[in-house]
Amino acid sequence: MWLRIAIGCPLGCGQFKAGAGSGGSNERRPENATRFTSTIYRCPELPPSSAPFEFLAGEGRWGIPDPDGDFGPQPIDARKTRLSNIVQETGAKTIHYLYDFGDSWDHVIKLEKWFDNTTTEGLPLLLDATGRCPPEDVGGVPGYADFLEAIGDPTHPEHEHMRLWGPEQFDPNIIDRKALEVAVNALSEIWKPRRRTTRAK
């Protein structure tokens, strides 16, 4: 599956994870818009909040550090930065977003262009899309390949089982453009910057 989306900056890593889904500065750039090409093996639906994830760019890793530190070198806390910070700090034009370490879905996020002094009204915006999202719990890239092989071959021993298990009349090349637009438009509320409130003393 491949998407091209225009998004407004700033966008937090946690916000991206909530849509799909680095310690950085607090600089806000509300007048910038960014266009990303996202070539992904899993669609950016709302993943469970407990699902592990990491962003990889340059030599850096961003994720949720293990509070006990039992799993080797810890990633930078992704809750304290934004994707724009990662791009600016590393100079990377490609970011890998790894989601669900069991199935190892790899979202390849490519920065195509940074637009300065543009309005963020109406963003995010779906510009283009190809391919269909793989079924949930299909078993990662290898499992998805096995699934496609089975449903595409009536003589395959798992054909009937996979046909009944997966979405009805699944075609990896057919996309529901309207449904994708609705999903991307809904992200505008999730990704909207929150106003800080001052507590009364």
Side-chain angles (χ1 to χ4, degrees):
M1 184 180 182
W2 175 89
L3 301 177
R4 177 178 283 123
I5 302 174
I7 65 173
C9 289
L11 178 64
C13 293
Q15 290 173 303
F16 178 87
K17 177 182 181 292
S22 260
S25 69
N26 292 320
E27 178 185 9
R28 301 179 65 83
R29 304 185 59 164
E31 297 304 320
N32 289 340
T34 306
R35 186 171 69 188
F36 283 99
T37 298
S38 183
T39 305
I40 64 181
Y41 294 108
R42 186 78 183 91
C43 59
E45 295 169 344
L46 298 177
S49 59
S50 60
F53 70 94
E54 278 191 356
F55 290 89
L56 307 178
E59 301 296 322
R61 293 170 53 233
W62 292 261
I64 304 301
D66 174 35
D68 298 322
D70 293 336
F71 298 98
Q74 297 297 300
I76 302 169
D77 196 336
R79 295 166 294 188
K80 298 180 179 179
T81 194
R82 302 183 175 96
L83 287 179
S84 56
N85 296 141
I86 294 178
V87 171
Q88 292 167 344
E89 292 169 8
T90 67
K93 295 298 181 69
T94 298
I95 300 173
H96 286 260
Y97 166 51
L98 306 180
Y99 163 64
D100 188 348
F101 297 161
D103 285 349
S104 298
W105 292 112
D106 184 1
H107 305 60
V108 182
I109 309 166
K110 294 186 178 181
L111 173 63
E112 289 191 326
K113 189 171 184 179
W114 188 290
F115 298 91
D116 288 317
N117 302 317
T118 59
T119 179
T120 58
E121 184 178 354
L123 299 178
L125 177 66
L126 177 66
L127 303 176
D128 198 5
T130 61
R132 185 172 176 180
C133 174
E136 187 68 46
D137 296 325
V138 75
V141 175
Y144 184 45
D146 292 341
F147 170 76
L148 293 179
E149 180 182 359
I151 64 172
D153 181 4
T155 65
H156 194 284
E158 293 292 316
H159 175 76
E160 190 64 14
H161 171 71
M162 289 295 185
R163 188 185 65 81
L164 294 174
W165 173 83
E168 185 176 359
Q169 297 180 338
F170 184 87
D171 187 328
N173 300 311
I174 296 179
I175 65 170
D176 188 338
R177 174 84 187 202
K178 185 175 181 180
L180 284 175
E181 289 177 345
V182 169
V184 171
N185 291 340
L187 294 176
S188 61
E189 284 298 317
I190 298 174
W191 289 354
K192 183 184 297 183
R194 305 300 184 206
R195 291 184 178 179
R196 295 184 177 180
T197 57
T198 303
R199 294 182 178 179
K201 294 183 179 180

